[in-house]
Amino acid sequence: MNSYAVFLRGINVGGINIKMADLRSALEDQGFAGVKTLLASGNVVLASDLGAAAVKKDVEACLREAFGYDAWVVVLTADRVAALVEACPYPAEDKTTHTYVTLSSDTAVLDELFEAGSRLDGTQQHRLGPEAMAWLAPAGGTLDSPFSKLSSKARYKSTTTTRNLRTMIKVRDATEALETR
């Protein structure tokens, strides 16, 4: 079995509220093993014999049926999550800035977002791989930061999701624990 991290977009904000116990049950009923939710913001680790693309397709279909919303997820292997965390040049803990990782299921969209972000004054960003980029926001001003405003545009909704680096580290640790079971 392969270990995966599944990052759900837009739950428990904007009116789409899902209890983590219900999410876990729905994914277990779909046939996924070792399902564990992390934090209440749409982070799941699970095991499956399927490849990442098939896991993405099955999870999105499950969420649409079980919870009645237009679900989008980004699925990464445990090894890929670990590599992205390792590649991030920014700190996980800093009193003046927060480090975020934007994940995407579409490389071309992330290319576009990265290029647009590079034109914003004062934006610090770093490409971590074809599916991820890291960026900094001032502590207490994340939602007002130019890159946050850019990345929250509707055109990126179906292909991107953002997590802080501390969350990515927790997900990495959970996928590694799943692999050792």
Side-chain angles (χ1 to χ4, degrees), residues 4 18-19 47 50 56 62 65 72 81 85 90 121 124 136 143-144 169-170 174 181:
Y4 294 103
I18 299 174
K19 291 182 176 142
L50 300 172
K56 175 179 169 43
C62 174
E65 179 159 327
W72 298 291
V81 173
V85 167
Y90 306 129
D121 285 337
Q124 287 184 269
L136 295 176
L143 296 178
D144 293 324
I169 291 167
K170 289 176 185 173
R181 283 181 37 173

Side-chain angles (χ1 to χ4, degrees), residues 100-118:
Y100 291 94
V101 176
T102 296
L103 305 166
S104 182
S105 58
D106 185 328
T107 299
V109 169
L110 194 63
D111 290 344
E112 175 189 313
L113 188 57
F114 188 82
E115 177 61 31
S118 70

